[in-house]
């Protein structure tokens, strides 16, 4: 049946078994598993924080973290001060947290976001240098065109 379905369980299992990156939420260490779209507490794998409705804006996500339950704070806090046991956590871009997991989730090569990140940084630096260098020289020399 496996041959007919085109599914090779042993390859999928190898792809699943990898060392997950770690991220500190509050004072607790969590494993970042974007393949399953969650944070999983390192010393309590049953405690999971789903990233299902965490929205990423401008490359970052905001998460209200309850230090008592070590999970998301789900109460409505509009117009109210946060309780002392709740922290506002700014989560870096998902492709920086777990680039391999995100690539696998999207069916891409494992190094897809790693290559993209290097290219973006190099491209940005080149663009920055090209746009800034002539302007600075003009200002220093007092030349206007």
């Amino acid at each position: 049946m496996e041959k007919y379905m085109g599914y090779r369980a042993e390859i999928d299992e190898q792809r699943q078994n990898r060392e997950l990156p770690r991220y500190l939420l509050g004072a607790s260490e969590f494993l970042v598993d974007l393949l399953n779209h969650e944070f999983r507490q390192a010393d309590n794998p049953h405690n999971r924080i789903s990233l299902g409705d965490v929205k990423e804006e401008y490359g970052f996500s905001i998460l209200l973290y309850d230090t008592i339950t070590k999970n998301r704070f789900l109460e409505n806090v509009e117009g109210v001060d946060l309780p002392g046991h709740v922290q506002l956590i700014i989560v870096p871009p998902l492709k920086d947290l777990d680039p391999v997991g995100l690539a696998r989730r999207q069916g891409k090569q494992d190094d897809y976001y790693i290559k993209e990140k290097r290219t973006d940084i190099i491209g940005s630096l080149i663009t920055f240098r090209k746009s800034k260098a002539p302007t600075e020289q003009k200002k220093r020399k007092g030349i206007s065109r």
Side-chain angles (χ1 to χ4, degrees), residues 132-145:
K132 292 293 180 184
T135 307
E136 289 174 10
Q137 289 174 354
K138 287 177 190 177
K139 286 180 182 177
R140 277 188 257 144
K141 292 181 182 179
I143 299 172
S144 59
R145 293 185 183 187

Side-chain angles (χ1 to χ4, degrees), residues 3 38 41 83 88 93 96 99 105 110-111 113 117 124 140:
K3 190 173 183 181
E38 68 186 10
Q41 190 174 340
L88 181 71
D96 293 343
R105 183 175 178 85
D110 284 357
D111 62 351
Y113 287 107
K117 184 177 177 183
S124 296
R140 277 188 257 144

